[in-house]
Amino acid sequence: MYKKMIMAGLAARPVRTTVSILAVTLEVTLILVVVGLTAGISDETAKRTEGVGADILFQPPNSSLLLALSNSTMPVALGDKIREIDGVKAVVPIQTQVNSTSGLEVIYGIDFDKFNEVTGGFIWHKGGRFSAPDEVIVDDIYALARHVNVGDHVELLNHKFKIAGIVEHGKGARLFIPLQTAQGMTGAVNRASLFYVKLKDPDQVHTVIERMKQVFPTYGAIPLREYAKLMMSTSMPALDAFIETVVFVAVCIGVLVIFLSMYTTITERTREIGILRSLGASKQFIVGLIFQESAVVCLTGIVTGIAASFLMARLVTLVFPTLTVLITTGWIAKASVFALLSGIIGSLYPSLRAAAQDPVEALAYE
Amino acid sequence: MNILLETIALQKIYKVGKIDVEALRGVNLRIRQGELLAIMGPSGCGKSTLMHVLGAMARPTSGKVMIDGENITGMTDNQLTAIRRKKIGFVFQKFNLLPTLTARANIEVAQHIHGQAAGSDHDQHLAKILQLLMIEEKMGRKPFELSGGEQQRVAVARAIANRPAILLADEPTGSLDSKNSEIVLNMFRELNRRFKQTTILVTHNPELVAYTDRVIEMRDGVVVSDNDPIPRDTESELVQPARSV
Ligand SMILES: Nc1ncnc2c1ncn2[C@@H]1O[C@H](COP(=O)(O)OP(=O)(O)O)[C@@H](O)[C@H]1O
Ligand SMILES: [Mg+2]
């Protein structure tokens, strides 16, 4: 019976009902796609980082875990000192750059030979190593996404680069330029943002890191495997804050729209509430009615929101093949709870207000 | 005979800003089970206010109101609601059907609120009502697809579907033409005869008097005449309080 009443009430106001459902859809989609994108990016980064083949990531003091965000550098010559530490096989200096003209692309400025030594070498699809400073090596996914081939020119960081070769993805970045070029562009001559370190025995990671810490107490040295794990989870403070903000904004949208919808509903239906009260409906009955009505809106919005999120995820990967959107069941559950919560918060005041109406006055309402 | 409704020195004051509007100024009434009576009087004399109090929709400001043996004066909202649910059926001038629901669903809502489990006995009762009111064929329609007379008959069916002891109708024919008024009033009489619920009709239309056994006249918040067919002292040992006018 309740069901019939709720459905009839919602059907009688199709535009408002649709807009409310769309707002919840938006709320759920916003949460799932944004969280999915950040999770996808860090997951992707993690996989790429692990695929580098190095054992230790060596960073300047106070540098951020997010490679792309670190802008402090250290002298390349430091690499020679790291090389001298017992157990180290090879060291490669890397300067990271971020190209943000179309999405976030991390570019590695590399010393080609040393990079090969540490990572075990690129797997080549086409072309070969740099033969000039303004050349770039791209991975196969980038080449596919941008429809570019060896010999083509691409614009990166306001410079024109010629594609020298296309390599299998999974070596830390999608784009590689000569170290000197990267240094020249930022004016950080002879400096590196990080070192990848290859060990003689990968099982000695922790022992070697201990040794590194004795020589370079303020620097950061972490096992690459662990770093990849950190990237995989969204446990980075900056990302967490970002996700929290998005969730908060999304929930606010849901709360406000549900509130407005329910508030106008109870005002419009004051008389109906009076009729129900005259028939002996209790205050709790009225509260229940309004909550259930908003629950129907929320549940519908959750279902359409989840569907829309998967659709958006497909669309994103179609338009930007380099991006992945990771929609997990955990976040589907969380987004659903948030949407229901906004329904509850949004209809709290309207329902209590409707229940508090004097039945006689409600009946007299025009 | 069993007294179902009783008011003693019933007073109801509305506060409008700083002004007190005394809508009921000491009303004394006794209404027996199964009675069919009319409350008459000019507009503004307090008829609707009296109906609301007798129907547990509003509390009196002072005085006593007994509904089926219970004094509602100090009751909580939930207690008043329970009385409405169990004992009262309302019919209003403006039909007051739920506009988004069909006639049938309107009646089902009332049954749902009442907590009536659908059973064959109950279905039979409702079928009898619908037949008597001649609206069996209209149950699938929404209020806007029904004429005024039909809407009011659906409202009557909804009010008595749960077999309330008391049926209160406030100007039930006020929005109907004379033909439909006659139909509806005849039905009130027939329903009262068949199902024996105490029925109070409020009107300012003198023609209605012909349909009832007892007429109570009000003016300015008090009862000015009452042709109670059974004298008071023969039925109860309750002390009759002094009239306030
Ligand atoms: N909610 C209210 N607030 C203030 N005054 C009211 C209210 N309801 C009724 N009144 C006043 O109480 C008096 C009785 O009203 P009412 O019971 O509606 O009379 P009737 O139904 O006989 O026309 C009138 O003077 C009316 O203006
Ligand atoms: Mg009135």
Side-chain angles (χ1 to χ4, degrees):
Chain A
M1 194 57 242
Y2 245 148
K3 232 188 281 165
K4 226 186 238 177
M5 232 184 325
I6 288 160
M7 290 310 170
L10 289 171
R13 293 151 186 88
V15 174
R16 186 188 314 154
T17 303
T18 310
V19 170
S20 308
I21 290 173
L22 281 180
V24 178
T25 305
L26 178 70
E27 175 181 3
V28 170
T29 311
L30 198 60
I31 294 174
L32 286 182
V33 171
V34 169
V35 168
L37 263 173
T38 50
I41 288 167
S42 35
D43 183 53
E44 178 72 10
T45 314
K47 278 188 193 142
R48 261 188 277 154
T49 312
E50 219 179 13
V52 165
D55 299 305
I56 292 170
L57 170 70
F58 191 91
Q59 285 181 298
N62 308 320
S63 55
S64 150
L65 278 175
L66 252 181
L67 286 184
L69 297 179
S70 66
N71 48 12
S72 49
T73 58
M74 44 201 168
V76 169
L78 209 68
D80 297 333
K81 289 198 182 136
I82 298 170
R83 180 77 174 74
E84 283 162 18
I85 291 170
D86 195 19
V88 172
K89 189 176 160 203
V91 178
V92 58
I94 292 168
Q95 230 199 37
T96 56
Q97 306 257 339
V98 179
N99 183 43
S100 55
T101 44
S102 55
L104 275 186
E105 284 161 348
V106 179
I107 303 169
Y108 274 7
I110 54 166
D111 177 318
F112 189 84
D113 290 319
K114 284 182 178 163
F115 194 79
N116 265 356
E117 207 182 330
V118 167
T119 66
F122 288 116
I123 299 161
W124 295 93
H125 285 215
K126 267 179 193 168
R129 59 178 296 170
F130 318 115
S131 55
D134 60 347
E135 286 189 343
V136 61
I137 295 169
V138 304
D139 78 357
D140 52 341
I141 293 176
Y142 181 90
L144 196 74
R146 301 296 158 99
H147 308 289
V148 288
N149 217 323
V150 172
D152 290 350
H153 285 87
V154 289
E155 174 127 355
L156 300 168
L157 311 160
N158 299 320
H159 284 252
K160 244 196 178 147
F161 283 89
K162 188 177 152 203
I163 297 176
I166 297 172
V167 293
E168 174 84 18
H169 61 276
K171 289 290 180 203
R174 296 202 190 284
L175 299 155
F176 305 89
I177 56 176
L179 181 61
Q180 277 81 7
T181 310
Q183 289 170 338
M185 277 158 63
T186 50
V189 179
N190 280 327
R191 297 188 77 83
S193 0
L194 59 96
F195 289 100
Y196 278 140
V197 180
K198 181 86 181 163
L199 301 183
K200 287 173 186 150
D201 178 4
D203 293 339
Q204 295 296 307
V205 171
H206 292 282
T207 333
V208 177
I209 283 179
E210 275 314 304
R211 286 179 202 143
M212 282 179 174
K213 284 197 172 146
Q214 271 164 17
V215 187
F216 310 103
T218 56
Y219 286 73
I222 48 171
L224 211 67
R225 208 164 272 278
E226 224 159 83
Y227 175 74
K229 240 186 258 161
L230 275 172
M231 294 294 287
M232 193 96 70
S233 73
T234 50
S235 59
M236 275 161 292
L239 269 188
D240 275 354
F242 174 64
I243 288 171
E244 276 165 23
T245 309
V246 169
V247 168
F248 179 74
V249 169
V251 170
C252 283
I253 292 173
V255 168
L256 289 177
V257 175
I258 295 280
F259 172 83
L260 196 66
S261 167
M262 289 302 149
Y263 190 80
T264 46
T265 295
I266 63 138
T267 314
E268 251 178 39
R269 298 204 294 198
T270 301
R271 208 183 163 90
E272 286 179 53
I273 290 160
I275 296 168
L276 290 171
R277 298 281 279 134
S278 79
L279 290 172
S282 62
K283 290 183 174 184
Q284 296 86 308
F285 183 97
I286 304 295
V287 170
L289 190 66
I290 298 191
F291 267 107
Q292 289 189 50
E293 191 165 314
S294 88
V296 170
V297 168
C298 287
L299 288 174
T300 314
I302 287 168
V303 171
T304 53
I306 292 169
S309 301
F310 279 105
L311 214 74
M312 280 290 287
R314 276 298 289 273
L315 223 66
V316 166
T317 41
L318 267 179
V319 179
F320 308 101
T322 54
L323 292 179
T324 37
V325 184
L326 254 187
I327 298 176
T328 60
T329 42
W331 268 102
I332 289 177
K334 277 190 215 173
S336 308
V337 169
F338 282 128
L340 279 177
L341 216 63
S342 38
I344 291 170
I345 298 170
S347 40
L348 196 64
Y349 176 72
S351 66
L352 292 179
R353 194 185 146 99
Q357 282 261 355
D358 180 77
V360 174
E361 279 170 27
L363 265 178
Y365 189 85
E366 292 296 334
Chain B
M1 244 198 264
N2 215 346
I3 292 180
L4 204 57
L5 286 170
E6 180 167 23
T7 71
I8 301 165
L10 165 59
Q11 189 199 30
K12 177 74 182 177
I13 297 172
Y14 293 108
K15 290 221 184 301
V16 183
K18 283 182 182 158
I19 302 162
D20 283 359
V21 178
E22 205 176 354
L24 297 176
R25 303 187 294 132
V27 172
N28 299 291
L29 275 178
R30 280 174 170 190
I31 295 161
R32 286 171 296 273
Q33 197 176 1
E35 268 193 294
L36 172 65
L37 62 95
I39 296 179
M40 300 203 37
S43 187
C45 71
K47 303 183 298 294
S48 294
T49 304
L50 178 62
M51 289 301 243
H52 293 143
V53 175
L54 290 179
M57 284 275 275
R59 270 178 288 251
T61 307
S62 72
K64 223 169 153 183
V65 175
M66 307 290 290
I67 301 177
D68 200 8
E70 289 182 273
N71 185 2
I72 69 156
T73 307
M75 279 190 175
T76 63
D77 182 86
N78 271 341
Q79 288 172 313
L80 288 177
T81 303
I83 293 213
R84 289 201 295 278
R85 186 165 59 232
K86 290 183 202 146
K87 301 191 171 158
I88 315 284
F90 280 108
V91 175
F92 302 97
Q93 176 177 351
K94 288 176 184 161
F95 319 141
N96 278 343
L97 295 176
L98 295 163
T100 57
L101 298 180
T102 61
R104 171 167 294 107
N106 260 280
I107 294 169
E108 285 171 355
V109 167
Q111 291 173 328
H112 173 80
I113 289 170
H114 188 259
Q116 194 106 300
S120 65
D121 170 52
H122 189 70
D123 291 346
Q124 265 175 23
H125 176 67
L126 182 60
K128 261 191 265 172
I129 293 169
L130 297 183
Q131 192 189 20
L132 213 140
L133 292 170
M134 298 185 295
I135 46 172
E136 299 148 291
E137 312 293 319
K138 319 277 180 175
M139 285 292 100
R141 297 206 191 164
K142 293 203 173 154
F144 69 89
E145 298 166 319
L146 295 168
S147 72
E150 288 165 346
Q151 284 188 58
Q152 194 60 305
R153 279 181 274 157
V154 172
V156 172
R158 183 180 68 180
I160 59 173
N162 299 319
R163 306 178 204 247
I166 302 155
L167 176 59
L168 302 173
D170 191 354
E171 311 260 11
T173 60
S175 300
L176 301 178
D177 56 35
S178 57
K179 189 168 164 287
N180 271 304
S181 297
E182 202 184 311
I183 294 172
V184 168
L185 288 172
N186 274 319
M187 283 171 176
F188 272 114
R189 198 158 61 172
E190 183 60 19
L191 289 167
N192 172 256
R193 204 178 57 73
R194 291 275 282 273
F195 302 117
K196 302 276 186 284
Q197 74 275 48
T198 302
T199 305
I200 305 178
L201 305 175
V202 159
T203 184
H204 58 256
N205 175 4
E207 284 175 38
L208 199 143
V209 175
Y211 294 86
T212 62
D213 317 316
R214 177 179 169 190
V215 177
I216 293 168
E217 264 201 78
M218 288 182 69
R219 205 143 303 189
D220 280 338
V222 290
V223 172
V224 290
S225 85
D226 181 353
N227 67 343
D228 191 351
I230 302 169
R232 288 175 185 283
D233 40 20
T234 64
E235 59 181 270
S236 163
E237 48 284 351
L238 255 170
V239 180
Q240 178 68 16
R243 291 217 165 190
S244 55
V245 169

